[in-house]
Structures are given as structure tokens and as C-alpha cells.
PDB file of all heavy atoms in Angstrom:
ATOM      1  N   GLU A 208      17.790  11.262  19.457  1.00  0.00           N
ATOM      2  CA  GLU A 208      18.141  12.129  18.336  1.00  0.00           C
ATOM      3  C   GLU A 208      18.996  11.389  17.312  1.00  0.00           C
ATOM      4  O   GLU A 208      18.835  11.563  16.107  1.00  0.00           O
ATOM      5  CB  GLU A 208      18.879  13.370  18.857  1.00  0.00           C
ATOM      6  CG  GLU A 208      17.986  14.313  19.655  1.00  0.00           C
ATOM      7  CD  GLU A 208      18.766  15.455  20.274  1.00  0.00           C
ATOM      8  OE1 GLU A 208      20.015  15.431  20.172  1.00  0.00           O
ATOM      9  OE2 GLU A 208      18.143  16.357  20.870  1.00  0.00           O
ATOM     10  N   GLU A 209      19.914  10.550  17.816  1.00  0.00           N
ATOM     11  CA  GLU A 209      20.764   9.786  16.904  1.00  0.00           C
ATOM     12  C   GLU A 209      19.940   8.795  16.090  1.00  0.00           C
ATOM     13  O   GLU A 209      20.152   8.627  14.892  1.00  0.00           O
ATOM     14  CB  GLU A 209      21.826   9.027  17.703  1.00  0.00           C
ATOM     15  CG  GLU A 209      22.799   8.244  16.821  1.00  0.00           C
ATOM     16  CD  GLU A 209      23.848   7.514  17.648  1.00  0.00           C
ATOM     17  OE1 GLU A 209      23.907   7.729  18.871  1.00  0.00           O
ATOM     18  OE2 GLU A 209      24.602   6.720  17.051  1.00  0.00           O
ATOM     19  N   ALA A 210      18.962   8.147  16.756  1.00  0.00           N
ATOM     20  CA  ALA A 210      18.096   7.208  16.054  1.00  0.00           C
ATOM     21  C   ALA A 210      17.261   7.921  15.000  1.00  0.00           C
ATOM     22  O   ALA A 210      17.092   7.435  13.875  1.00  0.00           O
ATOM     23  CB  ALA A 210      17.189   6.481  17.049  1.00  0.00           C
ATOM     24  N   ASP A 211      16.706   9.090  15.371  1.00  0.00           N
ATOM     25  CA  ASP A 211      15.927   9.868  14.411  1.00  0.00           C
ATOM     26  C   ASP A 211      16.775  10.260  13.214  1.00  0.00           C
ATOM     27  O   ASP A 211      16.338  10.166  12.063  1.00  0.00           O
ATOM     28  CB  ASP A 211      15.370  11.129  15.085  1.00  0.00           C
ATOM     29  CG  ASP A 211      14.287  10.799  16.101  1.00  0.00           C
ATOM     30  OD1 ASP A 211      13.815   9.653  16.108  1.00  0.00           O
ATOM     31  OD2 ASP A 211      13.926  11.693  16.886  1.00  0.00           O
ATOM     32  N   TRP A 212      17.993  10.719  13.480  1.00  0.00           N
ATOM     33  CA  TRP A 212      18.883  11.128  12.397  1.00  0.00           C
ATOM     34  C   TRP A 212      19.242   9.931  11.524  1.00  0.00           C
ATOM     35  O   TRP A 212      19.268  10.038  10.292  1.00  0.00           O
ATOM     36  CB  TRP A 212      20.154  11.730  12.993  1.00  0.00           C
ATOM     37  CG  TRP A 212      21.141  12.145  11.939  1.00  0.00           C
ATOM     38  CD1 TRP A 212      21.198  13.346  11.306  1.00  0.00           C
ATOM     39  CD2 TRP A 212      22.194  11.351  11.386  1.00  0.00           C
ATOM     40  NE1 TRP A 212      22.223  13.360  10.385  1.00  0.00           N
ATOM     41  CE2 TRP A 212      22.852  12.139  10.410  1.00  0.00           C
ATOM     42  CE3 TRP A 212      22.633  10.053  11.603  1.00  0.00           C
ATOM     43  CZ2 TRP A 212      23.928  11.659   9.666  1.00  0.00           C
ATOM     44  CZ3 TRP A 212      23.706   9.574  10.860  1.00  0.00           C
ATOM     45  CH2 TRP A 212      24.340  10.382   9.909  1.00  0.00           C
ATOM     46  N   GLY A 213      19.499   8.769  12.154  1.00  0.00           N
ATOM     47  CA  GLY A 213      19.863   7.585  11.390  1.00  0.00           C
ATOM     48  C   GLY A 213      18.754   7.136  10.466  1.00  0.00           C
ATOM     49  O   GLY A 213      18.980   6.775   9.308  1.00  0.00           O
ATOM     50  N   GLY A 214      17.491   7.146  10.971  1.00  0.00           N
ATOM     51  CA  GLY A 214      16.363   6.757  10.138  1.00  0.00           C
ATOM     52  C   GLY A 214      16.173   7.695   8.963  1.00  0.00           C
ATOM     53  O   GLY A 214      15.917   7.262   7.837  1.00  0.00           O
ATOM     54  N   ALA A 215      16.298   8.999   9.224  1.00  0.00           N
ATOM     55  CA  ALA A 215      16.164   9.974   8.137  1.00  0.00           C
ATOM     56  C   ALA A 215      17.294   9.819   7.121  1.00  0.00           C
ATOM     57  O   ALA A 215      17.075   9.952   5.911  1.00  0.00           O
ATOM     58  CB  ALA A 215      16.163  11.389   8.722  1.00  0.00           C
ATOM     59  N   ALA A 216      18.499   9.525   7.608  1.00  0.00           N
ATOM     60  CA  ALA A 216      19.666   9.418   6.720  1.00  0.00           C
ATOM     61  C   ALA A 216      19.534   8.257   5.747  1.00  0.00           C
ATOM     62  O   ALA A 216      19.774   8.408   4.543  1.00  0.00           O
ATOM     63  CB  ALA A 216      20.939   9.268   7.553  1.00  0.00           C
ATOM     64  N   ILE A 217      19.145   7.067   6.257  1.00  0.00           N
ATOM     65  CA  ILE A 217      19.053   5.931   5.342  1.00  0.00           C
ATOM     66  C   ILE A 217      17.892   6.101   4.369  1.00  0.00           C
ATOM     67  O   ILE A 217      17.964   5.650   3.220  1.00  0.00           O
ATOM     68  CB  ILE A 217      18.941   4.590   6.096  1.00  0.00           C
ATOM     69  CG1 ILE A 217      17.711   4.552   7.001  1.00  0.00           C
ATOM     70  CG2 ILE A 217      20.199   4.286   6.872  1.00  0.00           C
ATOM     71  CD1 ILE A 217      17.480   3.190   7.624  1.00  0.00           C
ATOM     72  N   SER A 218      16.831   6.785   4.801  1.00  0.00           N
ATOM     73  CA  SER A 218      15.725   7.061   3.877  1.00  0.00           C
ATOM     74  C   SER A 218      16.169   8.035   2.789  1.00  0.00           C
ATOM     75  O   SER A 218      15.803   7.876   1.613  1.00  0.00           O
ATOM     76  CB  SER A 218      14.532   7.640   4.640  1.00  0.00           C
ATOM     77  OG  SER A 218      14.035   6.720   5.576  1.00  0.00           O
ATOM     78  N   LEU A 219      16.970   9.034   3.163  1.00  0.00           N
ATOM     79  CA  LEU A 219      17.474   9.996   2.186  1.00  0.00           C
ATOM     80  C   LEU A 219      18.400   9.315   1.189  1.00  0.00           C
ATOM     81  O   LEU A 219      18.314   9.553  -0.028  1.00  0.00           O
ATOM     82  CB  LEU A 219      18.211  11.123   2.902  1.00  0.00           C
ATOM     83  CG  LEU A 219      18.828  12.207   2.016  1.00  0.00           C
ATOM     84  CD1 LEU A 219      17.753  12.891   1.181  1.00  0.00           C
ATOM     85  CD2 LEU A 219      19.590  13.227   2.859  1.00  0.00           C
ATOM     86  N   VAL A 220      19.293   8.462   1.677  1.00  0.00           N
ATOM     87  CA  VAL A 220      20.205   7.728   0.791  1.00  0.00           C
ATOM     88  C   VAL A 220      19.406   6.855  -0.177  1.00  0.00           C
ATOM     89  O   VAL A 220      19.703   6.795  -1.375  1.00  0.00           O
ATOM     90  CB  VAL A 220      21.180   6.865   1.616  1.00  0.00           C
ATOM     91  CG1 VAL A 220      21.952   5.906   0.713  1.00  0.00           C
ATOM     92  CG2 VAL A 220      22.155   7.754   2.385  1.00  0.00           C
ATOM     93  N   LEU A 221      18.380   6.178   0.345  1.00  0.00           N
ATOM     94  CA  LEU A 221      17.537   5.345  -0.512  1.00  0.00           C
ATOM     95  C   LEU A 221      16.868   6.182  -1.592  1.00  0.00           C
ATOM     96  O   LEU A 221      16.846   5.797  -2.771  1.00  0.00           O
ATOM     97  CB  LEU A 221      16.477   4.642   0.341  1.00  0.00           C
ATOM     98  CG  LEU A 221      15.436   3.812  -0.420  1.00  0.00           C
ATOM     99  CD1 LEU A 221      16.101   2.647  -1.142  1.00  0.00           C
ATOM    100  CD2 LEU A 221      14.353   3.306   0.529  1.00  0.00           C
ATOM    101  N   GLY A 222      16.323   7.337  -1.196  1.00  0.00           N
ATOM    102  CA  GLY A 222      15.656   8.200  -2.166  1.00  0.00           C
ATOM    103  C   GLY A 222      16.598   8.701  -3.247  1.00  0.00           C
ATOM    104  O   GLY A 222      16.257   8.699  -4.433  1.00  0.00           O
ATOM    105  N   LEU A 223      17.788   9.128  -2.850  1.00  0.00           N
ATOM    106  CA  LEU A 223      18.765   9.607  -3.822  1.00  0.00           C
ATOM    107  C   LEU A 223      19.217   8.493  -4.763  1.00  0.00           C
ATOM    108  O   LEU A 223      19.377   8.700  -5.978  1.00  0.00           O
ATOM    109  CB  LEU A 223      19.977  10.205  -3.094  1.00  0.00           C
ATOM    110  CG  LEU A 223      19.720  11.504  -2.317  1.00  0.00           C
ATOM    111  CD1 LEU A 223      20.953  11.894  -1.517  1.00  0.00           C
ATOM    112  CD2 LEU A 223      19.322  12.629  -3.270  1.00  0.00           C
ATOM    113  N   ALA A 224      19.420   7.287  -4.200  1.00  0.00           N
ATOM    114  CA  ALA A 224      19.863   6.159  -5.015  1.00  0.00           C
ATOM    115  C   ALA A 224      18.808   5.775  -6.049  1.00  0.00           C
ATOM    116  O   ALA A 224      19.121   5.551  -7.231  1.00  0.00           O
ATOM    117  CB  ALA A 224      20.195   4.967  -4.119  1.00  0.00           C
ATOM    118  N   LEU A 225      17.546   5.715  -5.622  1.00  0.00           N
ATOM    119  CA  LEU A 225      16.492   5.357  -6.565  1.00  0.00           C
ATOM    120  C   LEU A 225      16.279   6.448  -7.608  1.00  0.00           C
ATOM    121  O   LEU A 225      16.023   6.151  -8.783  1.00  0.00           O
ATOM    122  CB  LEU A 225      15.189   5.093  -5.805  1.00  0.00           C
ATOM    123  CG  LEU A 225      15.070   3.726  -5.120  1.00  0.00           C
ATOM    124  CD1 LEU A 225      13.759   3.626  -4.351  1.00  0.00           C
ATOM    125  CD2 LEU A 225      15.163   2.601  -6.139  1.00  0.00           C
ATOM    126  N   SER A 226      16.389   7.708  -7.202  1.00  0.00           N
ATOM    127  CA  SER A 226      16.248   8.812  -8.164  1.00  0.00           C
ATOM    128  C   SER A 226      17.348   8.757  -9.205  1.00  0.00           C
ATOM    129  O   SER A 226      17.101   8.952 -10.410  1.00  0.00           O
ATOM    130  CB  SER A 226      16.282  10.151  -7.424  1.00  0.00           C
ATOM    131  OG  SER A 226      15.209  10.257  -6.500  1.00  0.00           O
ATOM    132  N   ALA A 227      18.586   8.481  -8.762  1.00  0.00           N
ATOM    133  CA  ALA A 227      19.701   8.367  -9.702  1.00  0.00           C
ATOM    134  C   ALA A 227      19.494   7.187 -10.640  1.00  0.00           C
ATOM    135  O   ALA A 227      19.800   7.269 -11.843  1.00  0.00           O
ATOM    136  CB  ALA A 227      21.010   8.206  -8.925  1.00  0.00           C
ATOM    137  N   LEU A 228      18.958   6.087 -10.106  1.00  0.00           N
ATOM    138  CA  LEU A 228      18.695   4.907 -10.924  1.00  0.00           C
ATOM    139  C   LEU A 228      17.674   5.216 -12.010  1.00  0.00           C
ATOM    140  O   LEU A 228      17.852   4.840 -13.177  1.00  0.00           O
ATOM    141  CB  LEU A 228      18.183   3.774 -10.031  1.00  0.00           C
ATOM    142  CG  LEU A 228      17.841   2.456 -10.721  1.00  0.00           C
ATOM    143  CD1 LEU A 228      19.099   1.806 -11.287  1.00  0.00           C
ATOM    144  CD2 LEU A 228      17.162   1.505  -9.743  1.00  0.00           C
ATOM    145  N   VAL A 229      16.612   5.914 -11.629  1.00  0.00           N
ATOM    146  CA  VAL A 229      15.572   6.263 -12.606  1.00  0.00           C
ATOM    147  C   VAL A 229      16.136   7.198 -13.669  1.00  0.00           C
ATOM    148  O   VAL A 229      15.901   7.007 -14.867  1.00  0.00           O
ATOM    149  CB  VAL A 229      14.367   6.910 -11.895  1.00  0.00           C
ATOM    150  CG1 VAL A 229      13.372   7.459 -12.919  1.00  0.00           C
ATOM    151  CG2 VAL A 229      13.683   5.903 -10.984  1.00  0.00           C
ATOM    152  N   MET A 230      16.885   8.205 -13.242  1.00  0.00           N
ATOM    153  CA  MET A 230      17.460   9.153 -14.207  1.00  0.00           C
ATOM    154  C   MET A 230      18.421   8.465 -15.170  1.00  0.00           C
ATOM    155  O   MET A 230      18.458   8.778 -16.365  1.00  0.00           O
ATOM    156  CB  MET A 230      18.195  10.272 -13.460  1.00  0.00           C
ATOM    157  CG  MET A 230      17.281  11.316 -12.867  1.00  0.00           C
ATOM    158  SD  MET A 230      18.174  12.762 -12.238  1.00  0.00           S
ATOM    159  CE  MET A 230      18.918  12.089 -10.753  1.00  0.00           C
ATOM    160  N   GLY A 231      19.176   7.495 -14.664  1.00  0.00           N
ATOM    161  CA  GLY A 231      20.175   6.847 -15.497  1.00  0.00           C
ATOM    162  C   GLY A 231      19.644   5.764 -16.405  1.00  0.00           C
ATOM    163  O   GLY A 231      20.205   5.520 -17.470  1.00  0.00           O
ATOM    164  N   SER A 232      18.552   5.117 -15.990  1.00  0.00           N
ATOM    165  CA  SER A 232      18.079   3.960 -16.760  1.00  0.00           C
ATOM    166  C   SER A 232      16.697   4.143 -17.370  1.00  0.00           C
ATOM    167  O   SER A 232      16.403   3.581 -18.426  1.00  0.00           O
ATOM    168  CB  SER A 232      18.065   2.718 -15.862  1.00  0.00           C
ATOM    169  OG  SER A 232      17.178   2.894 -14.775  1.00  0.00           O
ATOM    170  N   GLN A 233      15.832   4.896 -16.711  1.00  0.00           N
ATOM    171  CA  GLN A 233      14.454   5.075 -17.189  1.00  0.00           C
ATOM    172  C   GLN A 233      14.049   6.545 -17.117  1.00  0.00           C
ATOM    173  O   GLN A 233      13.102   6.905 -16.403  1.00  0.00           O
ATOM    174  CB  GLN A 233      13.503   4.228 -16.329  1.00  0.00           C
ATOM    175  CG  GLN A 233      13.814   2.759 -16.274  1.00  0.00           C
ATOM    176  CD  GLN A 233      13.365   2.031 -17.523  1.00  0.00           C
ATOM    177  OE1 GLN A 233      12.449   2.472 -18.206  1.00  0.00           O
ATOM    178  NE2 GLN A 233      14.001   0.910 -17.828  1.00  0.00           N
ATOM    179  N   PRO A 234      14.739   7.433 -17.824  1.00  0.00           N
ATOM    180  CA  PRO A 234      14.431   8.871 -17.700  1.00  0.00           C
ATOM    181  C   PRO A 234      13.003   9.220 -18.097  1.00  0.00           C
ATOM    182  O   PRO A 234      12.467  10.237 -17.659  1.00  0.00           O
ATOM    183  CB  PRO A 234      15.450   9.530 -18.637  1.00  0.00           C
ATOM    184  CG  PRO A 234      15.879   8.448 -19.575  1.00  0.00           C
ATOM    185  CD  PRO A 234      15.813   7.179 -18.802  1.00  0.00           C
ATOM    186  N   GLN A 235      12.364   8.373 -18.903  1.00  0.00           N
ATOM    187  CA  GLN A 235      10.997   8.667 -19.345  1.00  0.00           C
ATOM    188  C   GLN A 235       9.975   8.582 -18.209  1.00  0.00           C
ATOM    189  O   GLN A 235       8.870   9.121 -18.331  1.00  0.00           O
ATOM    190  CB  GLN A 235      10.582   7.719 -20.486  1.00  0.00           C
ATOM    191  CG  GLN A 235      10.366   6.263 -20.095  1.00  0.00           C
ATOM    192  CD  GLN A 235      11.651   5.454 -20.064  1.00  0.00           C
ATOM    193  OE1 GLN A 235      12.750   5.999 -20.098  1.00  0.00           O
ATOM    194  NE2 GLN A 235      11.504   4.139 -20.045  1.00  0.00           N
ATOM    195  N   VAL A 236      10.330   7.911 -17.112  1.00  0.00           N
ATOM    196  CA  VAL A 236       9.391   7.818 -15.994  1.00  0.00           C
ATOM    197  C   VAL A 236       9.820   8.698 -14.815  1.00  0.00           C
ATOM    198  O   VAL A 236       9.235   8.621 -13.740  1.00  0.00           O
ATOM    199  CB  VAL A 236       9.220   6.354 -15.510  1.00  0.00           C
ATOM    200  CG1 VAL A 236       8.672   5.484 -16.620  1.00  0.00           C
ATOM    201  CG2 VAL A 236      10.522   5.791 -14.957  1.00  0.00           C
ATOM    202  N   LEU A 237      10.828   9.534 -15.040  1.00  0.00           N
ATOM    203  CA  LEU A 237      11.332  10.370 -13.954  1.00  0.00           C
ATOM    204  C   LEU A 237      10.266  11.321 -13.424  1.00  0.00           C
ATOM    205  O   LEU A 237      10.123  11.499 -12.211  1.00  0.00           O
ATOM    206  CB  LEU A 237      12.557  11.164 -14.419  1.00  0.00           C
ATOM    207  CG  LEU A 237      13.203  12.075 -13.366  1.00  0.00           C
ATOM    208  CD1 LEU A 237      13.660  11.253 -12.154  1.00  0.00           C
ATOM    209  CD2 LEU A 237      14.376  12.847 -13.964  1.00  0.00           C
ATOM    210  N   LEU A 238       9.484  11.926 -14.323  1.00  0.00           N
ATOM    211  CA  LEU A 238       8.465  12.883 -13.887  1.00  0.00           C
ATOM    212  C   LEU A 238       7.352  12.208 -13.073  1.00  0.00           C
ATOM    213  O   LEU A 238       7.029  12.675 -11.969  1.00  0.00           O
ATOM    214  CB  LEU A 238       7.900  13.633 -15.088  1.00  0.00           C
ATOM    215  CG  LEU A 238       6.953  14.792 -14.770  1.00  0.00           C
ATOM    216  CD1 LEU A 238       7.595  15.766 -13.790  1.00  0.00           C
ATOM    217  CD2 LEU A 238       6.543  15.528 -16.049  1.00  0.00           C
ATOM    218  N   PRO A 239       6.742  11.121 -13.583  1.00  0.00           N
ATOM    219  CA  PRO A 239       5.724  10.469 -12.737  1.00  0.00           C
ATOM    220  C   PRO A 239       6.303   9.907 -11.440  1.00  0.00           C
ATOM    221  O   PRO A 239       5.631   9.924 -10.403  1.00  0.00           O
ATOM    222  CB  PRO A 239       5.171   9.344 -13.632  1.00  0.00           C
ATOM    223  CG  PRO A 239       6.161   9.185 -14.731  1.00  0.00           C
ATOM    224  CD  PRO A 239       6.788  10.523 -14.925  1.00  0.00           C
ATOM    225  N   PHE A 240       7.526   9.427 -11.474  1.00  0.00           N
ATOM    226  CA  PHE A 240       8.193   8.960 -10.258  1.00  0.00           C
ATOM    227  C   PHE A 240       8.304  10.100  -9.249  1.00  0.00           C
ATOM    228  O   PHE A 240       7.939   9.954  -8.075  1.00  0.00           O
ATOM    229  CB  PHE A 240       9.579   8.421 -10.618  1.00  0.00           C
ATOM    230  CG  PHE A 240      10.424   8.013  -9.435  1.00  0.00           C
ATOM    231  CD1 PHE A 240      10.263   6.773  -8.843  1.00  0.00           C
ATOM    232  CD2 PHE A 240      11.390   8.868  -8.933  1.00  0.00           C
ATOM    233  CE1 PHE A 240      11.042   6.393  -7.756  1.00  0.00           C
ATOM    234  CE2 PHE A 240      12.178   8.504  -7.855  1.00  0.00           C
ATOM    235  CZ  PHE A 240      11.999   7.259  -7.253  1.00  0.00           C
ATOM    236  N   GLY A 241       8.784  11.261  -9.706  1.00  0.00           N
ATOM    237  CA  GLY A 241       8.939  12.412  -8.827  1.00  0.00           C
ATOM    238  C   GLY A 241       7.612  12.935  -8.316  1.00  0.00           C
ATOM    239  O   GLY A 241       7.492  13.311  -7.137  1.00  0.00           O
ATOM    240  N   LEU A 242       6.596  12.950  -9.178  1.00  0.00           N
ATOM    241  CA  LEU A 242       5.272  13.411  -8.746  1.00  0.00           C
ATOM    242  C   LEU A 242       4.686  12.494  -7.681  1.00  0.00           C
ATOM    243  O   LEU A 242       4.017  12.954  -6.755  1.00  0.00           O
ATOM    244  CB  LEU A 242       4.326  13.492  -9.950  1.00  0.00           C
ATOM    245  CG  LEU A 242       4.540  14.666 -10.910  1.00  0.00           C
ATOM    246  CD1 LEU A 242       3.616  14.535 -12.120  1.00  0.00           C
ATOM    247  CD2 LEU A 242       4.282  15.996 -10.193  1.00  0.00           C
ATOM    248  N   SER A 243       4.956  11.206  -7.817  1.00  0.00           N
ATOM    249  CA  SER A 243       4.462  10.255  -6.820  1.00  0.00           C
ATOM    250  C   SER A 243       5.139  10.483  -5.478  1.00  0.00           C
ATOM    251  O   SER A 243       4.495  10.415  -4.424  1.00  0.00           O
ATOM    252  CB  SER A 243       4.704   8.814  -7.292  1.00  0.00           C
ATOM    253  OG  SER A 243       3.905   8.507  -8.401  1.00  0.00           O
ATOM    254  N   VAL A 244       6.447  10.746  -5.503  1.00  0.00           N
ATOM    255  CA  VAL A 244       7.172  11.042  -4.263  1.00  0.00           C
ATOM    256  C   VAL A 244       6.564  12.271  -3.589  1.00  0.00           C
ATOM    257  O   VAL A 244       6.231  12.257  -2.397  1.00  0.00           O
ATOM    258  CB  VAL A 244       8.677  11.268  -4.529  1.00  0.00           C
ATOM    259  CG1 VAL A 244       9.382  11.707  -3.246  1.00  0.00           C
ATOM    260  CG2 VAL A 244       9.331  10.020  -5.087  1.00  0.00           C
ATOM    261  N   LEU A 245       6.434  13.345  -4.355  1.00  0.00           N
ATOM    262  CA  LEU A 245       5.926  14.602  -3.815  1.00  0.00           C
ATOM    263  C   LEU A 245       4.477  14.480  -3.349  1.00  0.00           C
ATOM    264  O   LEU A 245       4.111  14.915  -2.245  1.00  0.00           O
ATOM    265  CB  LEU A 245       6.044  15.699  -4.878  1.00  0.00           C
ATOM    266  CG  LEU A 245       5.569  17.094  -4.475  1.00  0.00           C
ATOM    267  CD1 LEU A 245       6.385  17.618  -3.302  1.00  0.00           C
ATOM    268  CD2 LEU A 245       5.661  18.051  -5.667  1.00  0.00           C
ATOM    269  N   GLY A 246       3.639  13.860  -4.195  1.00  0.00           N
ATOM    270  CA  GLY A 246       2.225  13.733  -3.865  1.00  0.00           C
ATOM    271  C   GLY A 246       1.996  12.901  -2.608  1.00  0.00           C
ATOM    272  O   GLY A 246       1.162  13.230  -1.759  1.00  0.00           O
ATOM    273  N   SER A 247       2.759  11.810  -2.477  1.00  0.00           N
ATOM    274  CA  SER A 247       2.634  10.957  -1.301  1.00  0.00           C
ATOM    275  C   SER A 247       3.063  11.683  -0.031  1.00  0.00           C
ATOM    276  O   SER A 247       2.391  11.590   1.012  1.00  0.00           O
ATOM    277  CB  SER A 247       3.471   9.691  -1.492  1.00  0.00           C
ATOM    278  OG  SER A 247       3.455   8.887  -0.349  1.00  0.00           O
ATOM    279  N   ALA A 248       4.167  12.422  -0.114  1.00  0.00           N
ATOM    280  CA  ALA A 248       4.651  13.166   1.058  1.00  0.00           C
ATOM    281  C   ALA A 248       3.641  14.227   1.481  1.00  0.00           C
ATOM    282  O   ALA A 248       3.358  14.405   2.675  1.00  0.00           O
ATOM    283  CB  ALA A 248       6.002  13.806   0.746  1.00  0.00           C
ATOM    284  N   VAL A 249       3.067  14.938   0.510  1.00  0.00           N
ATOM    285  CA  VAL A 249       2.099  16.002   0.822  1.00  0.00           C
ATOM    286  C   VAL A 249       0.811  15.416   1.381  1.00  0.00           C
ATOM    287  O   VAL A 249       0.275  15.902   2.388  1.00  0.00           O
ATOM    288  CB  VAL A 249       1.805  16.843  -0.443  1.00  0.00           C
ATOM    289  CG1 VAL A 249       0.633  17.795  -0.196  1.00  0.00           C
ATOM    290  CG2 VAL A 249       3.043  17.624  -0.863  1.00  0.00           C
ATOM    291  N   LEU A 250       0.295  14.359   0.750  1.00  0.00           N
ATOM    292  CA  LEU A 250      -0.950  13.766   1.221  1.00  0.00           C
ATOM    293  C   LEU A 250      -0.779  13.194   2.628  1.00  0.00           C
ATOM    294  O   LEU A 250      -1.693  13.279   3.460  1.00  0.00           O
ATOM    295  CB  LEU A 250      -1.421  12.679   0.258  1.00  0.00           C
ATOM    296  CG  LEU A 250      -2.791  12.063   0.553  1.00  0.00           C
ATOM    297  CD1 LEU A 250      -3.865  13.138   0.625  1.00  0.00           C
ATOM    298  CD2 LEU A 250      -3.151  11.013  -0.498  1.00  0.00           C
ATOM    299  N   GLY A 251       0.407  12.640   2.901  1.00  0.00           N
ATOM    300  CA  GLY A 251       0.674  12.145   4.241  1.00  0.00           C
ATOM    301  C   GLY A 251       0.604  13.259   5.278  1.00  0.00           C
ATOM    302  O   GLY A 251       0.065  13.075   6.377  1.00  0.00           O
TER     303      GLY A 251
END
């Protein structure tokens, strides 16, 4: 359970960090970036 939680945690931190980076530096690609995240998760 600890390993599962750790893997999910670092993936969540990575996702939040990249989302913040896109919003702060490249807001024009935020929508396609977000759609790719959502579409990939759903298709998986």
C-alpha cells in the first residue's frame, strides 16, 4: 500500500508541476495539454 501510494504521489506532483509550468509560461497550449491528459487517461 505504501508503494502504491508513493507511486501515485510522485505522479500527482509531476502532473501538478507540469500543469503549473504550462499555465505560467505557455497558457496558449493549456487546453490541448489538458485534453491530452484527459484523453490519454480515458483511452487507457
Side-chain angles (χ1 to χ4, degrees):
E208 291 174 354
E209 182 179 352
D211 290 347
W212 179 88
I217 59 173
S218 297
L219 179 60
V220 169
L221 175 64
L223 292 173
L225 281 177
S226 299
L228 179 66
V229 172
M230 283 190 287
S232 62
Q233 303 282 335
Q235 70 276 13
V236 299
L237 181 59
L238 188 53
F240 175 82
L242 285 175
S243 292
V244 175
L245 181 61
S247 176
V249 170
L250 186 56

